[in-house]
Amino acid sequence: MTHFHPKLRAPVAIAPLVLLGLLCLGLAAAAQATGVGDFVVDSSRAAKLDHCVEPTEYMRRYHYELIRHQRDTTVYGGIRSTKHSLAGCVKCHVGYDAQHKPVAVNAKHQFCNACHSYAAVTVNCFDCHATVPKGESWNQVTAGDREALLPGVHPQVGAAAPAAPGAAPESRDQ
Amino acid sequence: MSREVDQVNQERRRFMGVAAGAVAGTAGGAGVVVAALSSGVSSDAAAAPRTEPVSDRHRWGMLIDTAKCVDGCTACVDACDEENGLNLQAEPLGDDEAKWQNQRSAWIRKVKVQDNASGVVTNLPLMCQHCEHPPCVNVCPTGASFKRADGIVMVDRHICIGCRYCIMACPYKARSFIHEQVVQKLTRAPRGLGCVESCNLCVHRIDDGNPSPACADACAAEGHHAILFGDLNDPSGPLRQALGAQPNRQIRENLELNTGVRYAGL
């Protein structure tokens, strides 16, 4: 049995190196993970915010579930004021060009397209839905400070007051 | 039970409709002026975005006074086009103009009817009548055509397969089909190839706490006040007051669909 001894010892000596290697790989993967999907367009409103309506990791994985749930809530229940509306996504994530004109959110290298082309997942929301904020109804972004307005989220002290009811028809004229 | 009551009401309306038809030519313009005609907003509708799902507490409807509807005026149609992005539809290149006018989506049509016996001409806007028993909902194979709890008949385009059964079923020719890819869209009015759509009483306005459709606003802005929007479930509301004060009827009342849109002077 003794002749196995040196060979057994070798892996034990290598173990820390292997662990270190795995750690490096893990770090590299983590670095890559933050790179992939980190496509918030600089000129968009979202770029100025700390996080989305939910934690970023959650949004990356489950945004479709949220939008789909909201869609039925809106179509059947008439609730447009909650924070998971597609109109809110577009309003916040749409980028602007040099002339301050909004660029379609599903255009190449824009917010939706950047990830969806990488993941090769076709998104068909915009077959029907507007790709730039135009003629919006009420949504959590247009109404002003989203923190103060989301149902279930307590308004922060000193946060901007909700838009006056009279502001709704105004936003319609855009 | 409610069906029985409906039937009784149908009888009454039929009688009233005949009576209204008899006087329409002579006294149509002398309809009772309702003080609250321009308001059209139910008293308990708060001007705030909705946070609770819609309920059957309200049933939205309209009263259209055809005596006030002016020949040649298209204010309601234009306002509807603008409000719901219908004016953004682009005619396909090389398409025949007449064909396009026939195919493009329109939520309101101005209709002119003439009584051949008396020669009386009546103008009226015709849109989705928001029936209590909508045939379009009955025939929809996917459940996309549905009636919301507050009586608005709508299409859930997420599950509409574009079969167009509802277009065939609707007695009012109220529904349109989107034949072409739509490039320009409004956030409040999504629209895409292969789906059916029709008047939804400007549902986004109702959900925003501003229950007043663009057509009614435009008609009032023109000074005609032919369209009165309101809550059919509110006995003291302006719509019910106006319905009680003026002979009115449903179009194709023989189908007993109990429409949400009523016409006076017809």
Side-chain angles (χ1 to χ4, degrees):
Chain A
M1 295 299 278
T2 50
H3 62 280
F4 285 118
H5 229 70
K7 284 188 178 176
L8 268 175
R9 195 160 289 174
V12 172
I14 292 168
L17 284 174
V18 171
L19 275 175
L20 194 65
L22 282 174
L23 194 66
C24 288
L25 275 175
L27 282 173
Q32 197 187 6
T34 48
V36 172
D38 194 12
F39 285 114
V40 171
V41 180
D42 285 338
S43 57
S44 72
R45 193 189 161 107
K48 299 174 188 68
L49 299 170
D50 294 339
H51 56 83
C52 199
V53 291
E54 301 290 346
T56 306
E57 289 303 323
Y58 187 85
M59 289 306 293
R60 280 182 188 160
R61 195 165 181 84
Y62 296 111
H63 64 280
Y64 181 63
E65 295 289 336
L66 298 176
I67 294 169
R68 190 170 57 178
H69 181 74
Q70 168 75 43
R71 136 198 146 173
D72 290 342
T73 310
T74 301
V75 173
Y76 295 95
I79 300 173
R80 293 160 195 264
S81 57
T82 44
K83 59 183 177 176
H84 298 146
S85 75
L86 186 63
C89 301
V90 173
K91 178 75 178 179
C92 209
H93 280 286
V94 72
Y96 292 86
D97 63 12
Q99 285 78 43
H100 304 291
K101 287 182 70 179
V103 184
V105 75
N106 64 339
K108 200 172 184 185
H109 302 311
Q110 294 297 308
F111 182 70
C112 293
N113 176 269
C115 276
H116 274 271
S117 66
Y118 177 85
V121 177
T122 306
V123 50
N124 60 5
C125 303
F126 302 105
D127 289 358
C128 291
H129 286 279
T131 54
V132 293
K134 183 181 176 188
E136 293 173 289
S137 181
W138 204 100
N139 68 55
Q140 79 278 14
V141 187
T142 56
D145 185 3
R146 72 194 161 96
E147 299 288 327
L149 280 156
L150 303 180
V153 175
H154 299 294
Q156 291 171 351
V157 179
E170 194 181 308
S171 67
R172 218 171 258 133
D173 299 334
Q174 288 176 357
Chain B
M1 178 67 186
S2 69
R3 189 74 186 168
E4 277 176 18
V5 173
D6 274 355
Q7 278 170 357
V8 171
N9 286 341
Q10 293 297 341
E11 282 305 316
R12 183 174 170 275
R13 286 202 188 99
R14 215 165 277 140
F15 171 74
M16 297 298 280
V18 170
V23 298
T26 53
V32 178
V33 176
V34 179
L37 203 61
S38 60
S39 137
V41 180
S42 173
S43 55
D44 57 348
R50 170 178 298 285
T51 52
E52 295 290 314
V54 290
S55 70
D56 56 3
R57 194 157 67 93
H58 301 290
R59 187 191 170 201
W60 302 114
M62 295 204 279
L63 172 62
I64 294 166
D65 189 344
T66 57
K68 295 176 181 170
C69 184
V70 177
D71 191 9
C73 172
T74 57
C76 55
V77 180
D78 297 340
C80 178
D81 280 5
E82 193 157 323
E83 179 73 14
N84 295 296
L86 293 161
N87 54 354
L88 300 175
Q89 297 175 90
E91 182 177 351
L93 207 62
D95 210 351
D96 179 51
E97 176 64 23
K99 180 186 167 197
W100 167 242
Q101 288 306 327
N102 200 27
Q103 284 201 336
R104 73 183 286 277
S105 177
W107 289 10
I108 307 182
R109 292 184 295 131
K110 275 296 291 279
V111 175
K112 191 187 282 190
V113 289
Q114 182 175 5
D115 183 346
N116 284 336
S118 63
V120 173
V121 174
T122 311
N123 284 283
L124 56 96
L126 191 67
M127 69 289 280
C128 172
Q129 304 287 296
H130 299 281
C131 313
E132 187 190 357
H133 310 291
C136 55
V137 174
N138 278 354
V139 300
C140 181
T142 66
S145 186
F146 72 102
K147 188 179 69 163
R148 222 169 72 147
D150 55 0
I152 303 176
V153 177
M154 290 173 41
V155 180
D156 181 358
R157 290 180 228 226
H158 301 112
I159 52 175
C160 173
I161 56 170
C163 72
R164 290 168 267 181
Y165 282 171
C166 56
I167 293 183
M168 306 306 289
C170 177
Y172 306 103
K173 203 179 169 185
R175 290 225 156 148
S176 300
F177 184 72
I178 304 299
H179 291 263
E180 302 285 343
Q181 192 71 49
V182 181
V183 180
Q184 289 203 61
K185 290 151 286 204
L186 297 180
T187 303
R188 60 176 176 250
R191 173 170 295 115
L193 171 67
C195 283
V196 163
E197 61 180 33
S198 60
C199 160
N200 54 22
L201 292 177
C202 287
V203 70
H204 54 276
R205 289 188 174 202
I206 293 173
D207 292 343
D208 288 354
N210 171 31
S212 180
C215 55
D217 286 358
C219 191
E222 288 286 311
H224 301 318
H225 297 281
I227 304 176
L228 172 65
F229 175 85
D231 184 3
L232 286 164
N233 282 354
D234 181 6
S236 58
L239 179 60
R240 283 282 293 275
Q241 296 290 321
L243 284 167
Q246 224 171 347
N248 60 82
R249 66 192 302 184
Q250 309 167 48
I251 295 181
R252 290 302 303 274
E253 58 202 2
N254 57 323
L255 297 174
E256 300 188 2
L257 303 174
N258 189 13
T259 60
V261 180
R262 307 294 174 106
Y263 290 82
L266 187 65

